[in-house]
Coordinates of all heavy atoms in Angstrom, one line a residue:
V1 N -83.1 57.1 -94.4 CA -83.3 56.8 -93.0 C -82.6 58.0 -92.1 O -83.2 58.4 -91.2 CB -82.7 55.5 -92.6 CG1 -82.7 55.3 -91.1 CG2 -83.4 54.4 -93.3
F2 N -81.4 58.4 -92.5 CA -80.7 59.4 -91.7 C -81.5 60.7 -91.7 O -81.7 61.4 -90.7 CB -79.3 59.7 -92.3 CG -78.6 60.8 -91.5 CD1 -78.0 60.5 -90.3 CD2 -78.6 62.1 -92.0 CE1 -77.3 61.5 -89.6 CE2 -77.9 63.1 -91.3 CZ -77.3 62.8 -90.1
V3 N -82.0 61.1 -92.9 CA -82.8 62.4 -93.0 C -84.0 62.3 -92.1 O -84.3 63.3 -91.3 CB -83.2 62.6 -94.5 CG1 -84.1 63.8 -94.6 CG2 -82.0 62.9 -95.3
R4 N -84.7 61.2 -92.1 CA -86.0 61.1 -91.3 C -85.6 61.2 -89.8 O -86.3 61.9 -89.0 CB -86.7 59.9 -91.6 CG -87.3 59.9 -93.0 CD -88.3 58.8 -93.3 NE -88.7 58.8 -94.7 CZ -89.6 59.7 -95.2 NH1 -90.1 60.7 -94.5 NH2 -89.9 59.6 -96.5
R5 N -84.6 60.5 -89.4 CA -84.2 60.5 -88.0 C -83.7 61.9 -87.6 O -83.9 62.3 -86.5 CB -83.1 59.4 -87.8 CG -83.7 58.1 -87.8 CD -82.6 57.0 -87.4 NE -83.2 55.7 -87.4 CZ -82.6 54.6 -87.4 NH1 -81.3 54.6 -87.3 NH2 -83.2 53.4 -87.4
A6 N -82.9 62.5 -88.5 CA -82.5 63.9 -88.1 C -83.6 64.8 -87.9 O -83.7 65.6 -87.0 CB -81.5 64.4 -89.2
F7 N -84.6 64.8 -88.8 CA -85.8 65.6 -88.7 C -86.5 65.3 -87.4 O -87.0 66.2 -86.7 CB -86.8 65.4 -89.9 CG -86.7 66.4 -90.9 CD1 -85.6 66.4 -91.8 CD2 -87.6 67.4 -91.0 CE1 -85.5 67.3 -92.9 CE2 -87.5 68.4 -92.0 CZ -86.5 68.4 -92.9
E8 N -86.7 64.0 -87.0 CA -87.4 63.7 -85.8 C -86.7 64.2 -84.6 O -87.3 64.7 -83.7 CB -87.5 62.1 -85.7 CG -88.5 61.5 -86.6 CD -88.4 60.0 -86.6 OE1 -87.6 59.4 -85.8 OE2 -89.2 59.4 -87.4
R9 N -85.4 64.1 -84.6 CA -84.6 64.5 -83.4 C -84.5 66.0 -83.3 O -84.5 66.6 -82.2 CB -83.2 63.9 -83.3 CG -83.4 62.4 -83.1 CD -82.0 61.8 -82.9 NE -82.2 60.3 -82.7 CZ -81.8 59.7 -81.6 NH1 -81.1 60.4 -80.7 NH2 -81.9 58.4 -81.5
I10 N -84.3 66.7 -84.4 CA -84.1 68.1 -84.3 C -85.4 68.9 -84.4 O -85.5 69.9 -83.7 CB -83.1 68.5 -85.4 CG1 -81.7 67.8 -85.2 CG2 -82.9 70.0 -85.5 CD1 -80.7 68.0 -86.3
L11 N -86.2 68.6 -85.3 CA -87.5 69.4 -85.5 C -88.7 68.7 -85.0 O -89.8 69.2 -85.1 CB -87.7 69.6 -87.0 CG -86.5 70.4 -87.7 CD1 -86.8 70.6 -89.2 CD2 -86.3 71.8 -87.1
T12 N -88.5 67.5 -84.4 CA -89.6 66.7 -83.8 C -90.8 66.4 -84.7 O -91.9 66.5 -84.3 CB -90.1 67.3 -82.5 OG1 -90.7 68.6 -82.7 CG2 -89.0 67.5 -81.5
R13 N -90.5 66.2 -86.0 CA -91.5 65.8 -86.9 C -90.8 65.1 -88.1 O -89.6 65.1 -88.3 CB -92.2 67.1 -87.4 CG -91.4 68.0 -88.3 CD -92.2 69.1 -88.9 NE -91.5 70.0 -89.7 CZ -91.1 69.8 -91.0 NH1 -91.4 68.7 -91.6 NH2 -90.4 70.8 -91.7
Q14 N -91.7 64.5 -88.9 CA -91.2 63.8 -90.1 C -91.1 64.9 -91.3 O -91.8 65.8 -91.3 CB -92.2 62.8 -90.6 CG -92.2 61.5 -89.7 CD -91.0 60.7 -89.9 OE1 -90.5 60.5 -91.0 NE2 -90.4 60.2 -88.8
P15 N -90.1 64.7 -92.1 CA -90.0 65.6 -93.3 C -91.0 65.3 -94.3 O -91.5 64.2 -94.4 CB -88.6 65.3 -93.8 CG -88.3 63.9 -93.5 CD -89.0 63.7 -92.1
T16 N -91.4 66.3 -95.0 CA -92.3 66.1 -96.2 C -91.5 65.4 -97.3 O -90.2 65.3 -97.2 CB -92.9 67.4 -96.8 OG1 -91.8 68.1 -97.3 CG2 -93.6 68.2 -95.7
D17 N -92.2 64.8 -98.3 CA -91.4 64.2 -99.3 C -90.5 65.2 -100.0 O -89.3 64.8 -100.4 CB -92.4 63.6 -100.4 CG -93.1 62.3 -99.8 OD1 -92.6 61.7 -98.8 OD2 -94.2 62.0 -100.4
D18 N -90.9 66.4 -100.3 CA -90.1 67.4 -100.9 C -88.9 67.8 -100.0 O -87.8 67.9 -100.5 CB -90.9 68.7 -101.2 CG -91.9 68.5 -102.3 OD1 -91.7 67.6 -103.1 OD2 -92.8 69.4 -102.4
E19 N -89.1 67.9 -98.7 CA -88.0 68.2 -97.8 C -87.0 67.0 -97.8 O -85.8 67.2 -97.8 CB -88.5 68.4 -96.4 CG -89.2 69.7 -96.2 CD -89.9 69.8 -94.9 OE1 -90.3 68.8 -94.3 OE2 -89.9 71.0 -94.4
C20 N -87.5 65.8 -97.8 CA -86.6 64.6 -97.8 C -85.8 64.6 -99.1 O -84.6 64.4 -99.0 CB -87.5 63.4 -97.6 SG -86.5 61.9 -97.3
N21 N -86.4 64.8 -100.2 CA -85.7 64.8 -101.5 C -84.7 65.9 -101.5 O -83.6 65.7 -102.0 CB -86.7 65.0 -102.7 CG -87.5 63.7 -102.8 OD1 -87.1 62.6 -102.5 ND2 -88.7 63.9 -103.4
A22 N -85.0 67.1 -101.0 CA -84.1 68.2 -101.0 C -82.9 67.9 -100.1 O -81.7 68.2 -100.5 CB -84.8 69.5 -100.6
C23 N -83.1 67.3 -99.0 CA -82.0 66.9 -98.1 C -81.1 65.9 -98.7 O -79.9 66.0 -98.6 CB -82.6 66.5 -96.8 SG -83.3 67.8 -95.8
L24 N -81.7 64.9 -99.3 CA -80.9 63.9 -100.0 C -80.1 64.5 -101.1 O -78.9 64.1 -101.3 CB -81.8 62.7 -100.5 CG -82.5 61.9 -99.5 CD1 -83.5 61.0 -100.1 CD2 -81.5 61.1 -98.7
Q25 N -80.6 65.4 -101.9 CA -79.9 66.0 -102.9 C -78.7 66.9 -102.4 O -77.6 66.9 -102.9 CB -80.8 66.9 -103.8 CG -80.1 67.6 -104.9 CD -79.6 66.6 -106.0 OE1 -80.3 65.7 -106.4 NE2 -78.3 66.7 -106.3
F26 N -79.0 67.6 -101.3 CA -78.0 68.3 -100.6 C -76.8 67.4 -100.1 O -75.7 67.8 -100.4 CB -78.6 69.0 -99.3 CG -77.6 69.6 -98.4 CD1 -77.0 70.9 -98.7 CD2 -77.2 69.0 -97.3 CE1 -76.0 71.4 -97.9 CE2 -76.2 69.5 -96.4 CZ -75.7 70.8 -96.7
M27 N -77.2 66.3 -99.5 CA -76.1 65.4 -99.1 C -75.3 64.8 -100.2 O -74.1 64.7 -100.1 CB -76.7 64.3 -98.2 CG -77.2 64.9 -96.8 SD -77.9 63.8 -95.6 CE -77.4 62.2 -96.0
E28 N -76.0 64.5 -101.3 CA -75.3 64.0 -102.5 C -74.3 65.0 -103.0 O -73.2 64.7 -103.4 CB -76.3 63.6 -103.6 CG -77.0 62.3 -103.3 CD -78.1 62.0 -104.4 OE1 -77.9 62.5 -105.5 OE2 -79.0 61.2 -104.1
N29 N -74.8 66.3 -103.1 CA -73.9 67.3 -103.6 C -72.7 67.5 -102.6 O -71.6 67.8 -103.1 CB -74.7 68.6 -103.7 CG -75.7 68.6 -104.8 OD1 -75.7 67.8 -105.7 ND2 -76.6 69.6 -104.7
Q30 N -72.9 67.4 -101.3 CA -71.9 67.6 -100.4 C -70.8 66.4 -100.5 O -69.6 66.7 -100.4 CB -72.4 67.7 -98.9 CG -73.3 68.9 -98.7 CD -72.4 70.1 -98.8 OE1 -71.6 70.4 -97.9 NE2 -72.7 70.9 -99.8
V31 N -71.3 65.2 -100.7 CA -70.4 64.1 -100.8 C -69.6 64.3 -102.1 O -68.4 64.0 -102.0 CB -71.2 62.7 -100.9 CG1 -70.3 61.6 -101.4 CG2 -71.8 62.4 -99.6
E32 N -70.2 64.8 -103.1 CA -69.4 65.0 -104.4 C -68.4 66.1 -104.1 O -67.2 66.0 -104.5 CB -70.4 65.5 -105.4 CG -69.9 65.3 -106.8 CD -71.0 65.6 -107.9 OE1 -72.0 64.9 -107.8 OE2 -70.8 66.5 -108.7
L33 N -68.8 67.2 -103.5 CA -67.8 68.3 -103.2 C -66.7 67.8 -102.3 O -65.5 68.0 -102.6 CB -68.6 69.4 -102.5 CG -67.7 70.6 -102.0 CD1 -67.1 71.3 -103.2 CD2 -68.5 71.5 -101.1
F34 N -67.0 67.1 -101.2 CA -66.0 66.7 -100.2 C -65.1 65.6 -100.8 O -64.0 65.4 -100.4 CB -66.6 66.3 -98.9 CG -67.3 67.5 -98.2 CD1 -68.5 67.3 -97.6 CD2 -66.7 68.7 -98.1 CE1 -69.1 68.3 -97.0 CE2 -67.3 69.8 -97.5 CZ -68.5 69.6 -96.9
G35 N -65.7 64.8 -101.7 CA -64.9 63.7 -102.3 C -63.8 64.2 -103.2 O -62.8 63.5 -103.4
T36 N -63.9 65.5 -103.6 CA -62.8 66.0 -104.5 C -61.9 66.9 -103.7 O -61.0 67.5 -104.2 CB -63.5 66.9 -105.6 OG1 -64.2 67.9 -105.1 CG2 -64.3 66.0 -106.5
T37 N -62.1 67.0 -102.4 CA -61.3 67.8 -101.5 C -60.4 67.0 -100.6 O -60.8 65.9 -100.1 CB -62.2 68.7 -100.6 OG1 -63.1 69.5 -101.4 CG2 -61.3 69.7 -99.8
D38 N -59.2 67.4 -100.4 CA -58.2 66.7 -99.6 C -58.7 66.6 -98.1 O -59.1 67.6 -97.5 CB -56.9 67.4 -99.6 CG -55.8 66.7 -98.7 OD1 -55.9 65.5 -98.5 OD2 -54.9 67.4 -98.3
G39 N -58.8 65.4 -97.6 CA -59.3 65.2 -96.2 C -58.5 66.0 -95.2 O -59.1 66.5 -94.2
K40 N -57.2 66.1 -95.3 CA -56.4 66.9 -94.3 C -56.8 68.3 -94.4 O -56.8 69.0 -93.3 CB -54.9 66.7 -94.6 CG -54.4 65.3 -94.3 CD -52.9 65.2 -94.6 CE -52.5 63.8 -94.3 NZ -51.1 63.6 -94.7
R41 N -57.1 68.8 -95.5 CA -57.5 70.2 -95.7 C -58.9 70.4 -95.0 O -59.1 71.5 -94.4 CB -57.6 70.6 -97.1 CG -57.7 72.1 -97.3 CD -57.5 72.5 -98.8 NE -58.7 73.3 -99.1 CZ -59.3 73.3 -100.2 NH1 -59.0 72.5 -101.2 NH2 -60.3 74.1 -100.4
L42 N -59.8 69.4 -95.1 CA -61.1 69.6 -94.5 C -60.9 69.6 -93.0 O -61.6 70.4 -92.3 CB -62.0 68.4 -94.9 CG -62.5 68.3 -96.3 CD1 -63.2 67.0 -96.5 CD2 -63.4 69.5 -96.6
A43 N -60.1 68.8 -92.4 CA -59.9 68.7 -91.0 C -59.1 69.9 -90.4 O -59.2 70.2 -89.2 CB -59.1 67.4 -90.6
A44 N -58.4 70.7 -91.2 CA -57.6 71.8 -90.7 C -58.4 72.9 -90.3 O -57.9 73.8 -89.6 CB -56.7 72.2 -91.9
G45 N -59.7 73.0 -90.5 CA -60.6 74.1 -90.2 C -61.0 74.2 -88.7 O -61.5 75.2 -88.3
A46 N -60.7 73.2 -87.9 CA -61.1 73.2 -86.5 C -60.2 74.0 -85.7 O -59.0 73.9 -85.8 CB -61.2 71.7 -86.0
A47 N -60.7 74.8 -84.8 CA -59.9 75.6 -83.9 C -59.4 74.6 -82.8 O -59.9 73.5 -82.5 CB -60.7 76.7 -83.2
K48 N -58.3 75.0 -82.1 CA -57.7 74.2 -81.0 C -58.8 73.9 -80.0 O -59.5 74.8 -79.5 CB -56.5 75.0 -80.4 CG -55.8 74.1 -79.5 CD -54.6 74.8 -78.9 CE -53.8 73.9 -78.0 NZ -52.6 74.6 -77.5
G49 N -58.9 72.7 -79.6 CA -59.8 72.2 -78.6 C -61.2 71.9 -79.1 O -62.0 71.4 -78.4
E50 N -61.4 72.1 -80.4 CA -62.7 71.8 -81.0 C -62.6 70.4 -81.7 O -61.5 70.0 -82.1 CB -63.1 72.8 -82.0 CG -63.5 74.1 -81.4 CD -64.1 75.1 -82.5 OE1 -64.1 74.7 -83.7 OE2 -64.4 76.2 -82.1
V51 N -63.7 69.8 -81.9 CA -63.7 68.5 -82.6 C -63.6 68.8 -84.1 O -64.4 69.7 -84.6 CB -65.0 67.7 -82.3 CG1 -65.1 66.5 -83.2 CG2 -65.1 67.4 -80.9
A52 N -62.7 68.2 -84.8 CA -62.5 68.5 -86.2 C -63.7 67.9 -87.0 O -64.2 66.8 -86.6 CB -61.2 67.9 -86.7
P53 N -64.1 68.5 -88.1 CA -65.1 67.9 -88.9 C -64.6 66.6 -89.5 O -63.4 66.4 -89.6 CB -65.3 69.0 -90.0 CG -64.5 70.2 -89.7 CD -63.6 69.8 -88.6
A54 N -65.6 65.8 -89.9 CA -65.2 64.5 -90.5 C -64.5 64.7 -91.8 O -64.7 65.7 -92.5 CB -66.5 63.7 -90.7
T55 N -63.5 63.8 -92.1 CA -62.8 63.9 -93.3 C -63.4 63.0 -94.4 O -63.1 63.2 -95.6 CB -61.3 63.6 -93.1 OG1 -61.2 62.3 -92.5 CG2 -60.7 64.6 -92.2
D56 N -64.2 62.0 -94.0 CA -64.9 61.2 -94.9 C -66.1 61.9 -95.4 O -66.9 62.5 -94.7 CB -65.4 59.9 -94.2 CG -66.0 58.9 -95.1 OD1 -67.2 59.1 -95.3 OD2 -65.3 58.0 -95.6
P57 N -66.3 61.9 -96.8 CA -67.4 62.7 -97.4 C -68.8 62.4 -96.8 O -69.6 63.3 -96.7 CB -67.3 62.4 -98.8 CG -65.9 62.0 -99.1 CD -65.5 61.3 -97.8
V58 N -69.1 61.1 -96.6 CA -70.5 60.8 -96.1 C -70.8 61.4 -94.8 O -71.8 62.1 -94.6 CB -70.8 59.3 -96.2 CG1 -72.1 58.9 -95.6 CG2 -70.7 58.8 -97.7
P59 N -70.0 61.1 -93.7 CA -70.3 61.7 -92.4 C -70.2 63.2 -92.5 O -71.0 63.9 -91.8 CB -69.2 61.2 -91.5 CG -68.7 59.9 -92.2 CD -68.9 60.1 -93.6
R60 N -69.3 63.8 -93.3 CA -69.2 65.2 -93.4 C -70.5 65.8 -94.0 O -71.0 66.9 -93.5 CB -68.0 65.6 -94.3 CG -67.8 67.1 -94.5 CD -67.2 67.7 -93.2 NE -67.0 69.1 -93.4 CZ -65.8 69.7 -93.5 NH1 -64.7 68.9 -93.5 NH2 -65.7 71.0 -93.6
S61 N -71.1 65.1 -95.0 CA -72.4 65.6 -95.5 C -73.5 65.5 -94.5 O -74.4 66.4 -94.5 CB -72.8 64.8 -96.8 OG -73.2 63.5 -96.5
R62 N -73.5 64.5 -93.6 CA -74.5 64.4 -92.6 C -74.3 65.5 -91.6 O -75.3 66.1 -91.1 CB -74.4 63.1 -91.9 CG -74.8 61.9 -92.8 CD -74.7 60.6 -92.1 NE -75.2 59.5 -93.0 CZ -75.3 58.3 -92.6 NH1 -74.9 57.9 -91.4 NH2 -75.8 57.4 -93.4
E63 N -73.1 65.9 -91.2 CA -72.8 67.0 -90.3 C -73.4 68.3 -90.9 O -74.0 69.1 -90.2 CB -71.3 67.2 -90.1 CG -70.6 66.1 -89.3 CD -69.1 66.2 -89.3 OE1 -68.5 67.1 -90.0 OE2 -68.5 65.5 -88.5
G64 N -73.2 68.5 -92.2 CA -73.8 69.7 -92.9 C -75.3 69.7 -92.8 O -75.9 70.8 -92.5
L65 N -75.9 68.6 -93.0 CA -77.4 68.5 -92.9 C -77.9 68.9 -91.5 O -78.8 69.6 -91.4 CB -77.9 67.2 -93.4 CG -79.5 67.1 -93.3 CD1 -80.1 68.0 -94.2 CD2 -79.9 65.6 -93.6
V66 N -77.2 68.4 -90.5 CA -77.6 68.7 -89.1 C -77.5 70.2 -88.9 O -78.3 70.8 -88.3 CB -76.7 67.8 -88.1 CG1 -76.9 68.3 -86.7 CG2 -77.1 66.4 -88.2
R67 N -76.4 70.8 -89.4 CA -76.2 72.2 -89.2 C -77.4 73.0 -89.9 O -77.9 74.0 -89.4 CB -74.9 72.7 -89.7 CG -73.7 72.5 -88.8 CD -72.5 73.2 -89.2 NE -72.1 72.9 -90.6 CZ -71.3 71.8 -90.9 NH1 -70.9 71.0 -89.9 NH2 -71.0 71.6 -92.1
V68 N -77.7 72.5 -91.1 CA -78.8 73.1 -91.8 C -80.1 73.0 -91.0 O -80.9 74.0 -90.8 CB -79.0 72.5 -93.2 CG1 -80.3 72.9 -93.8 CG2 -77.9 72.9 -94.1
L69 N -80.4 71.9 -90.4 CA -81.6 71.7 -89.6 C -81.6 72.5 -88.4 O -82.7 73.0 -88.0 CB -81.9 70.2 -89.3 CG -82.2 69.3 -90.5 CD1 -82.3 67.9 -90.1 CD2 -83.4 69.8 -91.3
F70 N -80.5 72.7 -87.7 CA -80.4 73.6 -86.5 C -80.6 75.0 -86.9 O -81.0 75.8 -86.0 CB -79.0 73.4 -85.9 CG -78.9 72.2 -84.9 CD1 -77.8 71.4 -85.0 CD2 -79.9 71.9 -84.0 CE1 -77.7 70.3 -84.2 CE2 -79.8 70.8 -83.2 CZ -78.7 70.0 -83.3
N71 N -80.5 75.4 -88.2 CA -80.8 76.8 -88.6 C -82.1 76.9 -89.3 O -82.4 78.0 -89.7 CB -79.6 77.2 -89.5 CG -78.4 77.6 -88.8 OD1 -78.3 78.6 -88.1 ND2 -77.4 76.7 -88.9
H72 N -82.9 75.8 -89.3 CA -84.2 75.9 -89.9 C -85.1 76.8 -89.0 O -85.0 76.9 -87.8 CB -84.8 74.4 -89.8 CG -86.0 74.3 -90.7 ND1 -87.2 74.6 -90.3 CD2 -86.2 73.7 -91.9 CE1 -88.1 74.3 -91.2 NE2 -87.5 73.8 -92.2
S73 N -86.0 77.4 -89.7 CA -86.9 78.4 -89.0 C -87.8 77.8 -87.9 O -88.1 78.4 -87.0 CB -87.8 79.1 -90.1 OG -88.6 78.2 -90.7
E74 N -88.0 76.5 -88.0 CA -88.8 75.8 -87.0 C -88.0 75.5 -85.8 O -88.5 75.4 -84.7 CB -89.3 74.4 -87.5 CG -90.4 74.6 -88.5 CD -90.9 73.2 -89.1 OE1 -90.9 72.3 -88.3 OE2 -91.1 73.1 -90.3
F75 N -86.7 75.5 -85.9 CA -85.8 75.3 -84.7 C -85.4 76.6 -84.1 O -85.4 76.7 -82.9 CB -84.5 74.5 -85.2 CG -83.7 74.1 -84.0 CD1 -84.0 73.0 -83.2 CD2 -82.6 74.9 -83.7 CE1 -83.2 72.6 -82.2 CE2 -81.8 74.5 -82.6 CZ -82.1 73.4 -81.8
V76 N -85.1 77.6 -84.9 CA -84.6 78.9 -84.4 C -85.9 79.7 -84.0 O -86.7 79.9 -84.9 CB -83.8 79.6 -85.4 CG1 -83.4 81.0 -84.9 CG2 -82.6 78.8 -85.8
T77 N -86.0 80.1 -82.8 CA -87.1 80.9 -82.4 C -86.6 82.4 -82.1 O -85.6 82.5 -81.4 CB -87.8 80.4 -81.2 OG1 -86.9 80.2 -80.1 CG2 -88.5 79.0 -81.5
I78 N -87.3 83.3 -82.6 CA -87.0 84.7 -82.3 C -88.2 85.3 -81.6 O -89.3 85.4 -82.1 CB -86.8 85.5 -83.7 CG1 -85.6 84.8 -84.4 CG2 -86.5 86.9 -83.4 CD1 -85.5 85.3 -85.8
P79 N -87.9 85.8 -80.3 CA -89.0 86.3 -79.5 C -89.5 87.6 -80.0 O -88.9 88.4 -80.7 CB -88.4 86.5 -78.1 CG -86.9 86.3 -78.2 CD -86.7 85.7 -79.6

């Protein structure tokens, strides 16, 4: 559900089945990675005045997916 909603809001379309599967795999890998990392260390990367990244692995993986979609070729336009 999250992947489909993120695609709708950011790219204004539904993901293909392959894109959906790739995004779910990405998020699973991120949860695994962040689950083995100290939460305080994850939050330490924010500059003063910025919102710190989530320290919980699931929201952090979602943040990562949103960043990926904002860098997708359909979102980034080069004149």
Side-chain angles (χ1 to χ4, degrees):
V1 174
F2 179 81
V3 171
R4 293 193 185 285
R5 287 186 179 167
F7 262 78
E8 287 175 0
R9 290 186 182 238
I10 297 170
L11 301 178
T12 66
R13 68 172 179 83
Q14 288 289 319
T16 65
D17 289 340
D18 287 343
E19 288 171 327
C20 193
N21 291 333
C23 289
L24 291 171
Q25 184 63 51
F26 168 81
M27 289 178 23
E28 286 177 23
N29 291 343
Q30 293 296 291
V31 167
E32 199 173 302
L33 172 70
F34 296 136
T36 61
T37 305
D38 178 30
K40 289 180 182 176
R41 193 171 129 217
L42 290 174
K48 186 176 181 179
E50 290 184 0
V51 175
T55 56
D56 183 275
V58 173
R60 183 73 182 252
S61 71
R62 291 178 175 185
E63 291 172 352
L65 178 63
V66 168
R67 279 192 303 276
V68 167
L69 293 177
F70 278 132
N71 284 289
H72 193 280
S73 62
E74 291 178 37
F75 186 82
V76 179
T77 55
I78 301 172

